[in-house]
Amino acid sequence: MLADNLREVQKNIEKACEKSHRNSEEVTLIAVSKTKPVEILQEAYDAGARFFGENKVQEITAKYPELPKDIHWHMIGHLQRNKIKYIIDKVDMIHSVDSLRLAEAIEHEAAKHDLVMPILLEVNVAEEDTKFGLKMDEVVPLLEKISDFSHIQVEGLMTIAPFVDDPEENRQVFRDLKQLSVDIGKKNINNINMRVLSMGMTGDYQVAVEEGATMVRVGTGIFGARNYAV
Ligand SMILES: *Cc1c(COP(=O)(O)O)cnc(C)c1O
């Protein structure tokens, strides 16, 4: 049952926090609801979930009007510049910013709506060819440019770790991202905050929490397997 899954994930987060001497209130669980219908999201909401992650603009715009208004929507997937306008006033955070052009387009749409958009920079820590995201050494140069933007607030970093059998294999990836965020924090770049580390998915969120994640994005572990055929 979904409510049981949700509780189980929450309990695992608490355990990982205890193990690493962290306060579990520092960690936000984002229920990744992509491909799932609104009835299922409502079920998760009724079980207590308030943060939902989606990776497609069309899914956010379709689900948004059907569900309670106190849901915090997080855009976690690759975002095309021409689609920002559909979600700019609906999402609490965009996790997947990986280029100056995308940041500029977000700045432009946010200005139109007179809002400040919280974003994370997506880092391809393991430098996998198949993944989006900045290389580690591209992060600071981009931050220095975004620092001038008045309608974007950088809140931290995000990574999608490699798909592995043993989550321990990703521990170093999470450590590297945490270290990068600490190093950036010390630079005190204007308008750049490093309070969020969005890392860890169903297969490895406990390890990610042990290494400092403040947001974990869990889909399958809450909603079960996804069926992309429907
Ligand atoms: C789908 C997705 C997740 C959740 O993946 P699970 O393995 O189902 O937990 C997390 N982050 C991103 C960016 C995703 O696209």
Side-chain angles (χ1 to χ4, degrees):
M1 276 306 296
L2 197 158
D4 298 322
N5 294 345
L6 189 62
R7 236 182 309 277
E8 175 82 18
V9 172
Q10 278 158 345
K11 234 188 276 164
N12 288 338
I13 291 171
E14 280 164 29
K15 273 189 233 156
C17 282
E18 269 171 43
K19 196 172 160 191
S20 51
H21 310 286
R22 299 184 61 201
N23 183 340
S24 61
E25 283 170 17
E26 291 169 23
V27 183
T28 301
L29 170 59
I30 299 179
V32 177
S33 47
K34 63 193 189 197
T35 78
K36 301 295 173 184
V38 287
E39 299 77 50
I40 302 291
L41 275 73
Q42 182 67 52
E43 198 181 326
Y45 179 92
D46 293 338
R50 290 295 178 273
F51 295 82
F52 288 83
E54 291 282 348
N55 68 340
K56 290 211 167 71
V57 166
Q58 306 90 285
E59 281 197 67
I60 295 175
T61 54
K63 292 170 182 177
Y64 182 88
E66 305 290 326
L67 287 158
K69 287 291 160 275
D70 61 342
I71 288 177
H72 302 276
W73 295 94
H74 284 239
M75 176 60 187
I76 61 173
H78 185 64
L79 180 56
Q80 286 170 299
R81 283 175 292 142
N82 61 348
K83 291 189 178 161
I84 297 165
K85 57 178 176 284
Y86 302 116
I87 57 157
I88 193 80
D89 57 347
K90 298 183 177 61
V91 300
D92 271 30
M93 187 175 274
I94 298 172
H95 291 226
S96 42
V97 179
D98 64 356
S99 72
L100 181 59
R101 286 173 54 163
L102 179 58
E104 283 170 343
I106 295 169
E107 167 71 17
H108 182 71
E109 287 300 327
K112 273 201 225 164
H113 287 262
D114 196 24
L115 56 82
V116 177
M117 190 72 229
I119 67 160
L120 306 179
L121 293 193
E122 180 172 350
V123 189
N124 185 357
V125 178
E127 298 198 8
E128 290 177 285
D129 292 339
T130 52
K131 295 229 167 93
F132 292 105
L134 300 154
K135 292 188 180 149
M136 301 272 277
D137 62 6
E138 294 172 332
V139 176
V140 170
L142 179 54
L143 283 174
E144 282 167 347
K145 291 180 185 127
I146 296 177
S147 150
D148 293 335
F149 293 9
S150 48
H151 298 90
I152 282 182
Q153 172 67 56
V154 177
E155 296 285 1
L157 306 175
M158 176 271 224
T159 197
I160 302 174
F163 187 78
V164 291
D165 289 325
D166 178 1
E168 287 298 333
E169 291 176 52
N170 280 335
R171 190 177 289 276
Q172 194 60 45
V173 168
F174 300 138
R175 254 180 215 173
D176 289 349
L177 193 70
K178 168 77 186 184
Q179 189 58 49
L180 180 62
S181 88
V182 169
D183 292 345
I184 292 168
K186 284 185 191 148
K187 290 181 190 288
N188 281 318
I189 309 171
N190 181 39
N191 194 31
I192 305 297
N193 210 316
M194 284 288 130
R195 66 179 186 87
V196 175
L197 264 188
S198 170
M199 57 188 197
M201 302 169 34
T202 296
D204 54 22
Y205 65 92
Q206 289 106 318
V207 174
V209 167
E210 287 170 21
E211 295 302 331
T214 68
M215 287 184 182
V216 293
R217 311 177 308 267
V218 179
T220 318
I222 295 172
F223 296 102
R226 286 179 289 272
N227 182 358
Y228 285 101
V230 292

